[in-house]
Amino acid sequence: MEATTELLRTVPFADVSVARILAAGNVGRTSFYEHFDSKDDVLVNLVRSISEEIADEMAPMFDRGERTIDDTYREALNTWMRLGARYGPLMVAATEEWPRIPELRRLWFATLDDFSRRLAELIDRDRAAGIAPPGADSEALAASLAWATERAFHIAMGGHHATLTDVDQIIEPLVQLYVGTIYGRAIERPGRRSSEPLNRHPPT
């Protein structure tokens, strides 16, 4: 698994073969097949190994405490991008290969579905409290935001767009996307604390 992770730093997953993994890891074919069915199985196990870490790191997003809404989303999305960058080549491989690998697809969707579910619950709580205005179905809204973030990360990591060339450059636009979509307003500048951090809307 370590050898595959290192290979992905310089070789697209499509060009990684079992033979290259064996050579990079200095292990025999028999040893490999005692643990994995294929190179796809290695990728699935790698993604599974970091999925719990990502979920744990994102947990503070759903418990604001004394933080403002903007700071909460900013910290959470910054965490998401930093974790993604830490495992950059692996995450890019996952985003590109899940349509082809059924088990990876199930794992990838489960990870994003868990995030979407918790975000939908947060949206519902803030709507019920009058903090967020009513709007689109919370589950569909949360899923749309989660998948938009996944795509933005993939484009930024791959350098496929002239203005989305680095994860640093997409954090503030993503914060605006979340806050604007859920709360219907512009974001505060990073680090600024307004006297009334919550935009309250009368319940309907």
Side-chain angles (χ1 to χ4, degrees):
M1 290 173 69
E2 290 176 0
T4 304
T5 301
E6 287 303 311
L7 279 173
L8 288 173
R9 297 186 187 281
T10 55
V11 181
F13 186 74
D15 296 333
V16 172
S17 64
V18 171
R20 295 185 79 162
I21 295 173
L22 298 181
N26 193 29
V27 296
R29 186 170 294 272
T30 300
S31 295
F32 177 89
Y33 284 108
E34 285 178 352
H35 297 88
F36 305 104
D37 295 329
S38 64
K39 71 168 191 174
D40 291 351
D41 193 28
V42 178
L43 180 59
V44 169
N45 278 273
L46 282 168
V47 173
R48 184 178 290 115
S49 71
I50 66 172
S51 60
E52 289 187 7
E53 178 182 356
I54 293 173
D56 289 343
E57 292 285 346
M58 293 298 292
M61 175 177 179
F62 307 105
D63 182 15
R64 276 197 297 269
E66 298 300 317
R67 295 173 298 166
T68 66
I69 288 172
D70 294 19
D71 285 347
T72 300
Y73 283 98
R74 185 173 288 113
E75 290 171 20
L77 290 164
N78 184 67
T79 296
W80 188 338
M81 295 302 109
R82 295 286 169 240
L83 279 171
R86 183 189 309 170
Y87 302 110
L90 171 59
M91 298 289 280
V92 169
T95 62
E96 293 176 344
E97 298 295 332
W98 68 254
R100 185 182 62 81
I101 306 171
E103 182 58 29
L104 181 59
R105 182 184 187 280
R106 285 190 289 271
L107 177 60
W108 199 244
F109 272 59
T111 301
L112 284 171
D113 284 350
D114 180 65
F115 173 82
S116 299
R117 175 186 58 77
R118 299 171 77 181
L119 179 59
E121 292 173 353
L122 177 60
I123 293 170
D124 287 337
R125 289 199 303 271
D126 281 354
R127 285 178 176 177
I131 297 170
D137 175 80
S138 61
E139 292 183 5
L141 180 60
S144 297
L145 288 169
W147 283 102
T149 306
E150 191 252 22
R151 286 293 88 189
F153 169 80
H154 179 264
I155 295 299
M157 287 299 297
H160 300 302
H161 192 277
T163 58
L164 302 179
T165 57
D166 187 273
V167 293
D168 287 331
Q169 295 180 339
I170 64 175
I171 292 173
E172 287 305 301
L174 285 173
V175 175
Q176 179 61 78
L177 177 63
Y178 278 69
V179 172
T181 300
I182 298 171
Y183 303 96
R185 61 171 174 79
I187 58 174
E188 298 283 351
R189 292 193 300 273
R192 180 181 175 186
R193 300 188 70 88
S194 63
S195 58
E196 175 54 60
L198 303 182
N199 277 4
R200 291 191 172 274
H201 298 262
T204 59

